[in-house]
Amino acid sequence: GTMEGAVPAIAGFAQNRKLAKPDDAMNRLYALESRLSLTGSKADVRLPLRPSAAAPVAFAVANALHERHARPFPAGLAPDVLAAFGIAAVAKQYGVEAAALESLAGDLASAGNSSLVLAGPSLPVEAHAAVALINTMLGVEVHSVDTAFSVYSPPIATPLDIAALTR
């Protein structure tokens, strides 16, 4: 990567790919991307995805985290806001494997605050809002993200903003 701090992040990720014993847990890398990247070529699961589909797919994963894995939505976000984002319907509409999205949601739920979901800088703001929602639901923002080294950006979305984006 070319981002600041990429080398230590890559080293940390790689460390969790080395198993000391056959039954050790190993992290997984999912890449949902529009064209093949070096990261995608190394991913455990790579799903081709148009940038315009990133937000609906991410909202579907957030919905699955809530419905199937009992991850609560942030305060103020009504559960019915994401009701239209069922994995089966979104997968069919955008040509993505529903089973892979179910697996992604399950892996994220299992990893909890040890996971991290990122959206590339060229993706629409709705995709970034959906990713922020997923990370909030997983408790990532207080565990895996070190905001002391991040560039300031205004808040991406409040629960009301998410509701407006999903109408």
Side-chain angles (χ1 to χ4, degrees):
T2 58
M3 295 173 52
E4 184 177 330
V7 172
I10 292 167
F13 178 81
Q15 183 61 37
N16 288 325
R17 303 284 286 185
K18 296 177 183 174
L19 302 179
K21 302 182 301 252
D23 60 341
D24 282 351
M26 181 174 73
N27 60 19
R28 283 193 199 84
L29 175 61
Y30 287 79
L32 287 73
E33 56 186 9
S34 59
R35 61 178 186 224
L36 185 61
S37 68
L38 183 58
T39 301
S41 71
K42 302 291 186 188
D44 298 296
V45 178
R46 181 186 177 271
L47 300 173
L49 187 71
R50 293 187 322 264
S52 61
V57 167
F59 281 126
V61 171
N63 191 35
L65 284 170
H66 177 71
E67 288 185 351
R68 291 177 183 75
H69 302 284
R71 292 292 174 153
F73 286 132
L77 183 64
D80 62 332
V81 169
L82 297 183
F85 294 93
I87 281 186
V90 169
K92 182 177 180 182
Q93 182 175 354
Y94 295 100
V96 182
E97 295 176 42
L101 295 180
E102 293 283 2
S103 178
L104 171 59
D107 283 346
L108 288 171
S110 294
N113 66 6
S114 294
S115 61
L116 181 63
V117 179
L118 302 172
S122 64
L123 290 178
V125 66
E126 295 87 355
H128 287 268
V131 165
L133 173 62
I134 291 169
N135 284 328
T136 297
M137 292 172 71
L138 296 169
V140 172
E141 76 284 352
V142 296
H143 182 267
S144 299
V145 177
D146 186 352
T147 57
F149 297 102
S150 64
V151 176
Y152 171 78
S153 63
I156 292 178
T158 67
L160 291 175
D161 295 330
I162 293 171
L165 289 170
T166 59
R167 286 190 194 144

